[in-house]
Amino acid sequence: MDNSLPPADELALVDRELARLDARRSQLLARRAWLLRVLYAPASPTAPAPFPPAPGARPAAAGRAPVADSTPRSAQNVLLTLGGTLLTIAAIAFTLVSWGSMGIGGRSVVLCAVTSAALAVPVALLRRGLASTAESVAALGLVLMVLDAYALHRVALPETDGAGYTAVAAAVLAGAWTAYGSALSRLRIPLPVAVVAGQLPLPLGVLAAGGGPTAFAWAALVTAAADGALILWTRPAAVRITAAVGATGLGGWALLTGGWLSLTSPWSGTALLLASAALTLYAARRLPSLAVAASAVAGLATVAAAGGLLRPAVPADWTVPVYVLCGLALVSVWRPSADPSAPATAGDGAAEAGGRLPVGVRLGLACAGAGVAALGVVWALPPVAVGLLEPMARTTEVWSGEHADRALTSFPGTAVLVLATAAAVLAAVPRLWARCVVLALVWALLTALPVSLGLPYAATLALQLLTIAAALASAVRPGPLTRGLRRPEPSEGPGTPKAEPAAPAPAGAAGAPGAPGAPWGAWAPSRPRPQAPAAEPGTVLGWLAYACGLVSVPSAVALALDVRAATFTALGALLVLLAGVAVLGTGARRVVAACAAVLTATGLVVAVAAAAGWEDHWTTLALLLVPAATAAVGAKARPVALPVEITGAVVALPAFALAASRPAFLALALALGGVIAAATAVRPERRRFASWTAAALFLLATWVRLAVWEVATPEAYTLPVTVPALVVGFLRRRRDRDASSWTAYGPGLAATLLPSLLAAWTDPEWPRPLALGVAALVVTLLGARFRLQALLVLGGSVLALDGLHELAPYVVQAVGALPRWLPPALAGLLLLAVGATYEQRLRDARRLRDRVARMR
């Protein structure tokens, strides 16, 4: 090796570099230890040195700071947790399993010694800054204290009642742990554990004294009140969180017990609920962050208490209305200002300071009352569901009078009262959402009214039709519910002065671009972002009313099917209403009404055919009048032309299905459908799709007619059509090179290939499939040679299907002769091969698709 320095000099240079690296490493390690001591060492009057001592220097014994082990290292925490857990398990095993192997003196000495050591060791550990280790040992000491209490009961007090002893032991342990945690304030475990132990004395003491559910609920409520005091007047976050969990659990138990007692023992339950509500409301006033939730719970308890007192004085059907009225009375505490966006004035603050409930408390109480009212509305909804769905649950034939001879299922009339009360209360709220809810409640009220009051058949149907008429009328002009609504964005009137442009904000102003208070200011645009226009109240309410009316239409039709005259009356009335909306309405509601009118006309045609006793094939010819009418309407009514024509085309499908039992009439129906499509193709905007549809229908009609005539050689009828069609297509391609091959050759080829394919699949002889395969092969090769997509796709598809039909018996025979495991194995190998070359196969498929797509 050729070196620029002699070996001795280079060795000295390497040694110097290594020494320098070692010195730098020692300096960085010392700096790291000093940073850890600054970050995690306990606060002390003596400030840490501004710089770590030099490497190798001996620190002074008096000024040396303890090394902290409470670094947030996950490995260290895991080790300490596992160590404490193992020690706890060992102590429990010693107490429960190995206890009998020692005498009474030895057992007492061992437990006392171990517990004392476990409680004393954290003091020394904290002095040395080992906070994490002290936490683990302290947790072990707390567990040993519980075991000491258990051992004392088993040895010295075996006759003592278990619940009473547990209550006393929990109280003693809670006091001891509180004192221990207060003395060692740096430990985070003892105080929360003391709070947990403090949850047990009162409830267990009540159980030991033989108290019932009421006494236990009161004990839980008192304990929850003590937890609330800890939440309000203690500082450690762990203690407050633990107390909050305990207060939630015990307070919730007290509330549930109070609610149950309000149904069985009203006065006891009322007292418990009111006490719970008072405590929760006090906590809501003292804790603004929890004001809404806590006051909502208080409001629910108040409503349950008031309803529990009033419930025995009213009939059973009036129980829910009583609770709803109590909830609505609680809603009255919420009285917002006229303009919610206006800032609070000094008068408002003085009123609140003078005793008015805070906004959060009032909002929570109002939400509780509104929630009770909403539950009452949910209770009143079954009559609505019955009014909508029971007519559809038909068990007999139409026009049998199933629902006309009896009233619908009866429900309490108070359900209607609840819906009406909720609608009346919300009608006074000048907000869009309130008007929407009012509209939905009015619709539900009208739907539930016949069920709750047991109205006769004629009155029920008339009420449904009137409801639908009123709802559909909303599509013509806005209803009166929109009056008095506050617009989302007020528009400028003719006399309103034009707003002056805002002055640019100074460079240091909050929210200005580049300001320190606006982190995104540098990226904000200079112009305000335009906002999307808000929906008009009339539009929202109109759509909601329109949707309610459409939901009621199927129910009204199903109810009208009980009586023949009612069927024609209902369908005729609905047709007039929907046609009127389609003519006079605006926007999308007009389109929906037009499509619904087509379906209603279809039902009317079916009803006429059923009343006249027509057979299915004659009904098919009658139903074809609907697509014919929609095609005529589509030529005039341009805004609703396409949806109406599509609906008419959909109606033609079941018409064809009805004629399937009579193939001759099916061919006639298909031909008539082709005539309708051909007439529609006269219009330029429908020419492309309608012409293809007409050709397909005529072709299907031809095939069906050939099948009816039992023609065994369809080529005799299709080839005379195919040859002229191909000639015409060839001439068109010569004049127009941009014409598609599907337009030029597709219809002609399909007219022969597809019927021949169907005949070949049912032909047991071999000449037809062979001739068809040869013809399809020739068409495929011509398509590949001249790059014609129609020839390639049609010929290839027919060739593949024909070959599959011919090879299928042999494939089945070969598969049956193979071992059972071989086909799955071969399939697995194929999948593996494809998966291994997936990217290449995908590229090949894309390349093939692109090549076919480039063809004409």
Side-chain angles (χ1 to χ4, degrees):
M1 182 175 181
D2 185 16
N3 296 325
S4 57
L5 291 177
D9 295 340
E10 185 176 0
L11 179 61
L13 178 62
V14 169
D15 289 338
R16 286 196 299 270
E17 289 294 325
L18 290 176
R20 188 179 64 82
L21 291 176
D22 289 338
R24 180 59 178 169
R25 183 175 185 276
S26 300
Q27 183 182 3
L28 293 176
L29 289 175
R31 182 68 178 179
R32 179 179 180 277
W34 179 82
L35 292 173
L36 291 176
R37 186 165 63 251
V38 170
L39 291 175
Y40 301 106
S44 60
T46 306
F51 195 79
R58 297 183 60 185
R64 184 177 59 186
V67 179
D69 75 332
S70 59
T71 58
R73 297 179 182 178
S74 58
Q76 180 191 22
N77 293 334
V78 169
L79 291 176
L80 292 176
T81 303
L82 289 178
T85 303
L86 292 177
L87 289 176
T88 303
I89 294 174
I92 294 174
F94 171 76
T95 304
L96 300 179
V97 180
S98 302
W99 185 259
S101 61
M102 301 180 64
I104 184 63
R107 286 177 283 180
S108 301
V109 169
V110 169
L111 270 181
C112 291
V114 174
T115 304
S116 302
L119 295 176
V121 167
V123 179
L125 293 175
L126 289 175
R127 290 178 180 176
R128 297 184 59 85
L130 304 175
S132 297
T133 309
E135 292 281 359
S136 300
V137 178
L140 174 62
L142 301 183
V143 175
L144 289 175
M145 291 182 70
V146 176
L147 296 178
D148 289 338
Y150 170 76
L152 180 62
H153 177 263
R154 291 293 303 272
V155 176
L157 303 170
E159 303 298 331
T160 307
D161 178 65
Y165 179 81
T166 304
V168 175
V172 173
L173 289 176
W177 290 341
T178 301
Y180 186 72
S182 301
L184 301 177
S185 58
R186 292 178 56 194
L187 294 178
R188 294 171 293 178
I189 293 180
L191 290 180
V193 175
V195 174
V196 173
Q199 312 299 310
L200 302 178
L202 281 180
L204 292 181
V206 169
L207 291 180
T214 304
F216 184 84
W218 278 105
L221 183 60
V222 172
T223 306
D227 292 333
L230 290 178
I231 297 173
L232 294 175
W233 296 313
T234 56
R235 280 190 173 184
V239 174
R240 299 178 68 183
I241 293 174
T242 308
V245 174
T248 302
L250 295 176
W253 179 266
L255 284 172
L256 292 177
T257 305
W260 172 69
L261 290 175
S262 67
L263 302 177
T264 58
S265 180
W267 290 103
S268 300
T270 298
L272 184 60
L273 288 172
L274 290 179
S276 303
L279 291 175
T280 309
L281 196 59
Y282 178 78
R285 291 178 63 92
R286 294 296 303 272
L287 298 172
S289 59
L290 301 176
V292 177
S295 57
V297 174
L300 292 176
T302 304
V303 171
L309 284 180
L310 297 176
R311 185 185 56 83
V314 298
D317 292 345
W318 287 82
T319 300
V320 175
V322 164
Y323 283 98
V324 171
L325 291 176
C326 295
L328 293 177
L330 194 62
V331 173
S332 62
V333 302
W334 175 251
R335 296 177 181 175
S337 59
D339 187 2
S341 62
T345 60
D348 295 337
E352 184 168 321
R356 185 181 177 184
L357 291 176
V359 176
V361 174
R362 289 188 283 122
L363 178 60
L365 293 176
C367 289
V372 172
L375 290 177
V377 171
V378 172
W379 171 83
L381 289 182
V384 182
V386 170
L388 285 176
L389 301 179
E390 187 174 15
M392 302 180 187
R394 180 171 300 282
T395 58
T396 59
E397 296 181 356
V398 297
W399 298 343
S400 62
E402 177 184 2
H403 297 295
D405 296 337
R406 60 182 177 87
L408 297 178
T409 305
S410 178
F411 278 83
T414 51
V416 175
L417 178 62
V418 170
L419 294 175
T421 303
V425 171
L426 285 174
V429 180
R431 293 292 185 273
L432 178 59
W433 65 267
R435 298 297 170 87
C436 292
V437 178
V438 168
L439 188 58
L441 289 176
V442 169
W443 169 80
L445 177 64
L446 295 176
T447 305
L449 197 62
V451 180
S452 298
L453 301 184
L455 296 181
Y457 175 81
T460 302
L461 182 59
L463 183 59
Q464 283 193 347
L465 292 177
L466 289 176
T467 303
I468 295 171
L472 295 181
S474 63
V476 179
R477 59 185 180 87
L481 289 174
T482 58
R483 298 171 186 170
L485 285 178
R486 184 176 293 114
R487 301 285 182 178
E489 291 183 5
S491 59
E492 295 182 355
T496 305
K498 187 175 295 185
E500 295 293 335
W520 304 101
W523 304 96
S526 58
R527 293 181 297 176
R529 182 179 299 173
Q531 298 181 355
E536 289 293 329
T539 303
V540 176
L541 290 172
W543 265 111
L544 181 59
Y546 192 68
C548 292
L550 292 180
V551 169
S552 299
V553 167
S555 178
V557 173
L559 185 61
L561 291 177
D562 282 345
V563 180
R564 179 177 299 184
T567 301
F568 287 102
T569 302
L571 289 176
L574 290 174
L575 181 59
V576 171
L577 288 173
L578 293 170
V581 174
V583 173
L584 302 177
T586 57
R589 282 176 283 180
R590 181 182 183 183
V591 176
V592 175
C595 297
V598 173
L599 297 178
T600 306
T602 303
L604 193 58
V605 171
V606 173
V608 171
W614 294 349
E615 296 183 9
D616 291 343
H617 53 278
W618 293 113
T619 304
T620 297
L621 299 181
L623 282 176
L624 289 178
L625 295 176
V626 176
T630 56
V633 171
K636 301 295 182 181
R638 295 302 176 89
V640 296
L642 182 60
V644 166
E645 291 173 3
I646 292 176
T647 308
V650 171
V651 170
L653 297 179
F656 296 150
L658 284 176
S661 59
R662 300 286 296 269
F665 274 89
L666 177 59
L668 177 60
L670 291 171
L672 291 177
V675 170
I676 296 172
T680 307
V682 175
R683 294 154 52 192
E685 69 275 10
R686 300 285 186 266
R687 182 166 300 161
R688 181 179 181 85
F689 179 78
S691 59
W692 279 98
T693 304
L697 290 176
F698 283 135
L699 187 61
L700 286 174
T702 304
W703 294 345
V704 172
R705 175 54 63 183
L706 293 177
V708 171
W709 288 342
E710 297 181 356
V711 173
T713 309
E715 293 82 3
Y717 298 90
T718 58
L719 284 177
V721 177
T722 297
V723 174
L726 293 179
V727 172
V728 172
F730 177 75
L731 295 177
R732 180 178 178 182
R733 287 272 299 178
R734 289 187 64 181
R735 291 195 306 267
D736 184 10
R737 288 293 181 180
D738 294 333
S740 173
S741 62
W742 288 100
T743 305
Y745 306 117
L749 291 174
T752 294
L753 290 179
L754 297 182
S756 299
L757 179 63
L758 294 176
W761 272 68
T762 58
D763 191 352
E765 302 297 331
W766 60 270
R768 184 192 301 276
L770 178 61
L772 178 63
V774 172
L777 178 61
V778 172
V779 171
T780 304
L781 295 177
L782 289 175
R785 170 65 180 81
F786 296 102
R787 301 178 59 82
L788 298 176
Q789 189 180 101
L791 276 67
L792 183 63
V793 173
L794 282 175
S797 301
V798 172
L799 180 62
L801 292 175
D802 185 65
L804 178 63
H805 174 264
E806 294 303 310
L807 294 178
Y810 303 101
V811 172
V812 172
Q813 184 178 2
V815 171
L818 294 175
R820 293 292 182 89
W821 57 267
L822 189 57
L826 295 176
L829 291 175
L830 177 62
L831 292 177
L832 288 177
V834 173
T837 59
Y838 174 74
E839 294 296 334
Q840 182 61 36
R841 302 286 81 76
L842 190 61
R843 286 192 293 269
D844 294 342
R846 289 173 178 171
R847 191 179 300 110
L848 177 61
R849 181 196 64 187
D850 295 338
R851 288 180 179 177
V852 173
R854 285 194 296 268
M855 293 182 180
R856 295 297 301 173

